[in-house]
Amino acid sequence: MRILLIEDDQEMRDFVTSELVTAGHEVTGCADGRDGLMLAATKDFDLLVIDRILPRLDGVGVVRGLRAMAIGTPIILLTALGRVDERVQGLRAGADDYLVKPFAMTELVARIDAVKRRNSFRQDQNILQVGDLSLNRLTQVANRAGHKILLKPREFRLLEQLMLNAGMVLTRTMLLESVWDYHFDPQTTLVESHICRIRAKIDRGFVCAMIHTVRGAGYRISVDPVA
Amino acid sequence: MTAPQQQASLFRMASFRLAVLGMLFSLIAAVVVFALIYEATGIAAREELAPIVAGDRADLLSDTQADGWPLAREIALAEAIGGHTYYELTNAAGQKLAGTTLAPHDWNHWSDVTRLEDPALPPGVEQIDGISVKLADGDRLFVGEDASVFAILNRRIALIFAVVFGLLIGLGVLASLLIAAYSLKRVRAISEASTDIVAGDLSRRIEAYGIDDELDVLTTGLNGMLETIERLVKKAQQVTSDIAHDLRSPLMRLRDRLVRIERLALAQGQAGIADELREALRQTEIVTSIFSSLLRIAEIEAGALSGNFVPLDLSALVCGVAEEFLPVVEDQGQSLELAVADGIWILGDVPLLIQMLVNLVENAIRYCPDGAVLTLSLTRMNDGFAWIEVADTGPGIPEADRERVFERFVRLDRSQNTPGHGLGLPLVRVIAVFHGGSVTLLDNAPGLRVRVKLPTVRRNEKLAVDSH
């Protein structure tokens, strides 16, 4: 994927660049808002990673500028500011995701994959299918190999998120945000307990498990146990 | 936070009530003045007519003596001649002997007989004023004069009073309604502005009319206060943003370095160092988490969060959070009981309230052993507050420590074995206070009972806010 990274902190930029290159992306770096806006507007990128605070034109300004020019390239905003209203402001300006520093690189990589997928994969299908597991989004009923599986509302939302991002890692934070709309870190095993409930419903009694725990990263649903 | 203003009605306005009171006073004054004038004309009539009546009576009595005629005949003669004098002669038993028939009247007292009391008065006569005296033979003789002039005068005065005061009161009602409508309009503007400000729009100001009346003075004062509040909040937001930026950026760089060193160590086969570095990474995550919580508390305390207050169904919110944590509670071998009253609405910030509820429930889960019973209840109280209570059968908190645990970083478990950093309850408190409520810790005997009081909105206030 061709990624434009607009970040004024050079150390940070170098590190993120090397990490994303390792993850298989092609990265262009840029240190200020106005140049970044020009680059994003004139060259072809698959995704933009933009810091919130930049010289000359701040990150939200860049997002607004691009959206005003009807450029729909997916954008992830990085920020050292963590206020809830700032997050809302960033998303309202047109960003696709919002990540608060300090974050783990696995988090950024997972979010890049998810944002990319959200923009390329049809999100409005009524039936989601992964291997022999299917999920009807209208009736909220799952089916594995002909066995009907009833889900509670939250279990449905969790399974839906996993299946929409089938084959990709969803971090705990991503699940908390997308499934629960919690923008803080619960001190209990909230995500783990719910994952456990779903596993009991869809994996118990089957030879191969579909929900995989990716150590130090998150959860992934796929037929194949290895990513 | 203030509850939304009740819809003010025109007739409940202080200015209208004061005007009505003023009009009532002037009406009483008018009645008193009219009564005094009426009394004065009565006295004037008596002063004018009494000598005439006395003269007529003396003439009549001396005429009977001189002519030797019976009194009745003299009376008939006098009345036949005509004039403005009227006579009535009755015997001791009250039987009429001669003269004009009049309505009963006082004996020995000056009295007036009006057409109102006696419709049988001679035509053109409105009122007869006179006095009765007892004659030597026991008969009673009333002699009265036509006092119609005074009666008509009184009637005209009454008419003038009615017209003048009617007009005054009518105009007064109209004027006070206009004044009340004007005040109401301006009070509504202030009330609407304050609702907007509570809902987060700190840039909102109240419009002044530039006419220097008392409401303009109030408006200017309020706008000045709002200016200061907005400036302080902006400053607080700036400060917390600066702190966040200045701490999060180096934390991020520290994290990156640790990750790179960990990789180097692994590449050079030094697994021990890599393990140490992973632990160091975990510690930076704890620092970040503490820092985020602290910052959140500071932001709420400083009012730096532009509170996005909306009317919300607290009952549904509480049930929702309870449902989320049911699997966690089960995994811990605990149980959760719910007693949530339906349809309790409050004005609040949804993400903050969710975080508060999560903190309350997680505290109970984390500090209670297997088998503990947690109870989450929501009750509507009569004082306009709702109580959210999270009770457990865990170890509880000694009474002496119950206030202390709201201080930052206070953890009662000195071994620090349990996870967490002692910021859960302080956060619960600032969120409750931010919503105009409070938190208290009580003894659940055994266990702990945390009670959060939040002000509720009545249904009509909710609708008022909705329509706004």
Side-chain angles (χ1 to χ4, degrees):
Chain A
M1 227 191 286
R2 284 156 303 166
I3 296 174
L4 173 64
L5 171 66
I6 314 175
E7 162 69 80
D8 59 325
D9 180 351
Q10 194 185 340
E11 194 182 329
M12 176 80 188
R13 192 171 66 239
D14 291 347
F15 182 70
V16 173
T17 304
S18 73
E19 290 291 312
L20 293 183
V21 168
T22 310
H25 301 295
E26 186 185 308
V27 182
T28 308
C30 174
D32 94 69
R34 212 173 297 174
D35 293 350
L37 178 63
M38 291 306 290
L39 264 173
T42 51
K43 290 201 177 154
D44 209 13
F45 291 101
D46 298 313
L47 191 126
L48 313 173
V49 178
I50 305 174
D51 190 36
R52 179 79 162 64
I53 296 178
L54 291 168
R56 299 199 1 182
L57 180 63
D58 83 338
V60 173
V62 175
V63 176
R64 282 210 188 98
L66 288 170
R67 296 304 185 232
M69 286 186 271
I71 294 171
T73 317
I75 296 172
I76 296 178
L77 268 180
L78 304 182
T79 183
L81 313 172
R83 280 218 315 269
V84 177
D85 47 347
E86 283 161 339
R87 195 185 144 272
V88 172
Q89 189 192 23
L91 294 181
R92 219 171 260 164
D96 295 81
D97 205 350
Y98 195 94
L99 191 52
V100 179
K101 291 178 189 176
F103 50 82
M105 269 306 141
T106 45
E107 187 75 39
L108 179 60
V109 170
R111 280 171 192 256
I112 286 173
D113 288 343
V115 165
K116 183 75 180 65
R117 170 137 177 129
R118 220 180 296 157
N119 279 273
S120 59
F121 179 76
R122 275 177 54 114
Q123 299 280 307
D124 56 355
Q125 301 171 29
N126 289 333
I127 310 272
L128 300 175
Q129 185 84 42
V130 179
D132 58 358
L133 176 69
S134 68
L135 179 68
N136 187 325
R137 294 168 83 188
L138 297 178
T139 60
Q140 307 205 344
V141 172
N143 192 304
R144 183 158 186 199
H147 296 277
K148 196 171 154 190
I149 301 161
L150 295 177
L151 299 166
K152 289 188 178 156
R154 194 60 67 192
E155 294 167 350
F156 164 74
R157 292 260 293 156
L158 189 50
L159 187 59
E160 183 189 33
Q161 281 303 314
L162 287 167
M163 290 179 77
L164 279 170
N165 296 284
M168 268 174 287
V169 175
L170 291 183
T171 64
R172 186 170 180 267
T173 318
M174 286 164 83
L175 289 173
L176 282 168
E177 288 178 8
S178 63
V179 177
W180 281 271
D181 203 23
Y182 286 1
H183 299 277
F184 54 89
D185 201 9
Q187 303 292 306
T188 54
T189 57
L190 180 68
V191 178
E192 295 76 3
S193 291
H194 280 266
I195 289 278
C196 183
R197 292 294 179 287
I198 296 188
R199 273 194 172 132
K201 286 190 175 179
I202 68 166
D203 282 345
R204 187 173 293 163
F206 291 92
V207 178
C208 59
M210 297 200 67
I211 296 178
H212 309 283
T213 305
V214 183
R215 248 194 105 228
Y219 300 95
R220 178 170 54 87
I221 198 164
S222 70
V223 187
D224 183 5
V226 198
Chain B
M1 290 298 136
T2 52
Q5 314 281 333
Q6 283 185 31
Q7 289 294 319
S9 144
L10 200 58
F11 300 101
R12 291 216 308 260
M13 293 294 290
S15 54
F16 182 75
R17 291 178 183 189
L18 282 176
V20 167
L21 200 64
M23 281 182 303
L24 208 66
F25 280 137
S26 47
L27 191 68
I28 291 169
V31 168
V32 167
V33 169
F34 179 73
L36 288 174
I37 289 174
Y38 188 88
E39 197 55 37
T41 55
I43 291 166
R46 183 181 181 162
E47 277 171 355
E48 178 86 20
L49 299 175
I52 300 172
V53 164
D56 285 343
R57 187 174 55 228
D59 285 352
L60 186 76
L61 291 176
S62 63
D63 281 355
T64 18
Q65 267 181 352
D67 300 344
W69 290 354
L71 195 54
R73 197 173 161 197
E74 284 293 345
I75 289 171
L77 181 69
E79 290 204 328
I81 295 167
H84 297 298
T85 313
Y86 298 89
Y87 306 92
E88 186 191 40
L89 184 66
T90 46
N91 63 16
Q95 270 174 315
K96 192 190 160 199
L97 302 174
T100 316
T101 307
L102 294 171
H105 47 265
D106 293 343
W107 291 104
N108 295 321
H109 283 291
W110 185 262
S111 50
D112 38 66
V113 179
T114 64
R115 181 170 285 286
L116 229 59
E117 293 156 358
D118 188 354
L121 285 186
V125 179
E126 293 298 322
Q127 183 175 329
I128 293 170
D129 284 14
I131 191 161
S132 310
V133 290
K134 204 182 207 175
L135 299 178
D137 58 3
D139 290 350
R140 288 170 195 272
L141 175 65
F142 174 84
V143 181
E145 281 291 312
D146 179 359
S148 298
V149 179
F150 296 100
I152 290 167
L153 182 65
N154 267 339
R155 214 178 290 161
R156 286 198 180 140
I157 291 172
L159 187 70
I160 289 168
F161 263 74
V163 168
V164 170
F165 279 92
L167 220 64
L168 275 180
I169 286 167
L171 286 174
V173 169
L174 196 70
S176 59
L177 276 174
L178 286 174
I179 292 169
Y182 164 78
S183 307
L184 186 61
K185 192 178 163 207
R186 300 203 57 179
V187 168
R188 278 211 179 119
I190 294 173
S191 151
E192 277 169 19
S194 61
T195 309
D196 282 357
I197 290 159
V198 169
D201 181 7
L202 285 174
S203 61
R204 186 83 149 75
R205 294 291 176 273
I206 304 154
E207 188 198 347
Y209 283 30
I211 49 175
D212 278 338
D213 67 347
E214 68 275 26
L215 286 171
D216 262 2
V217 173
L218 176 68
T219 301
T220 313
L222 285 173
N223 280 342
M225 187 180 77
L226 293 173
E227 202 79 47
T228 310
I229 291 173
E230 191 188 12
R231 192 163 41 78
L232 289 176
V233 167
K234 282 228 170 95
K235 197 175 158 98
Q237 284 175 339
Q238 187 58 47
V239 168
T240 51
S241 292
D242 288 351
I243 293 171
H245 186 262
D246 291 352
L247 255 161
R248 282 210 171 100
S249 299
L251 268 173
M252 183 79 205
R253 287 196 286 267
L254 173 65
R255 197 176 202 297
D256 295 346
R257 284 284 158 99
L258 290 173
V259 169
R260 268 186 276 184
I261 303 170
E262 185 205 346
R263 285 214 196 108
L264 271 175
L266 279 176
Q268 294 174 3
Q270 295 180 310
I273 294 177
D275 285 347
E276 288 296 317
L277 285 163
R278 257 195 295 280
E279 177 55 24
L281 266 173
R282 209 177 64 80
Q283 291 298 328
T284 66
E285 269 157 28
I286 293 171
V287 170
T288 306
S289 162
I290 292 174
F291 171 67
S292 296
S293 297
L294 267 183
L295 200 62
R296 176 65 57 92
I297 292 173
E299 282 164 358
I300 299 167
E301 270 186 341
L305 277 184
S306 36
N308 187 20
F309 274 55
V310 292
L312 60 96
D313 185 348
L314 186 62
S315 307
L317 208 65
V318 170
C319 286
V321 169
E323 211 170 301
E324 300 307 338
F325 281 88
L326 217 51
V328 183
V329 170
E330 284 170 7
D331 287 356
Q332 301 280 321
Q334 301 163 341
S335 59
L336 176 64
E337 284 170 9
L338 274 181
V340 177
D342 270 348
I344 296 183
W345 284 75
I346 68 165
L347 207 55
D349 181 300
V350 177
L352 286 183
L353 287 171
I354 287 182
Q355 180 154 18
M356 182 186 83
L357 291 167
V358 168
N359 275 14
L360 286 171
V361 173
E362 289 198 326
N363 259 341
I365 294 173
R366 282 167 44 212
Y367 292 108
C368 287
D370 277 9
V373 180
L374 317 181
T375 315
L376 177 56
S377 64
L378 174 65
T379 325
R380 184 200 306 279
M381 304 311 288
N382 287 329
D383 55 359
F385 279 80
W387 284 7
I388 303 169
E389 288 193 315
V390 179
D392 62 51
T393 55
I397 293 178
E399 196 170 351
D401 290 325
R402 281 188 204 142
E403 189 50 36
R404 217 163 57 82
V405 290
F406 286 112
E407 290 164 26
R408 281 158 221 192
F409 299 117
V410 170
R411 297 177 60 200
L412 298 177
D413 181 8
R414 308 227 188 275
S415 63
Q416 311 270 310
N417 275 337
T418 43
H421 36 62
L423 290 170
L425 281 174
L427 191 54
V428 167
R429 174 170 274 185
V430 293
I431 293 174
V433 170
F434 189 56
H435 285 83
S438 60
V439 193
T440 37
L441 301 185
L442 305 159
D443 196 345
N444 196 40
L448 180 68
R449 177 180 292 265
V450 187
R451 178 180 295 160
V452 178
K453 291 187 197 177
L454 294 175
T456 58
V457 285
R458 286 194 300 273
R459 180 141 185 90
N460 58 351
E461 285 175 292
K462 179 181 92 67
L463 292 177
V465 174
D466 280 346
S467 63
H468 191 70

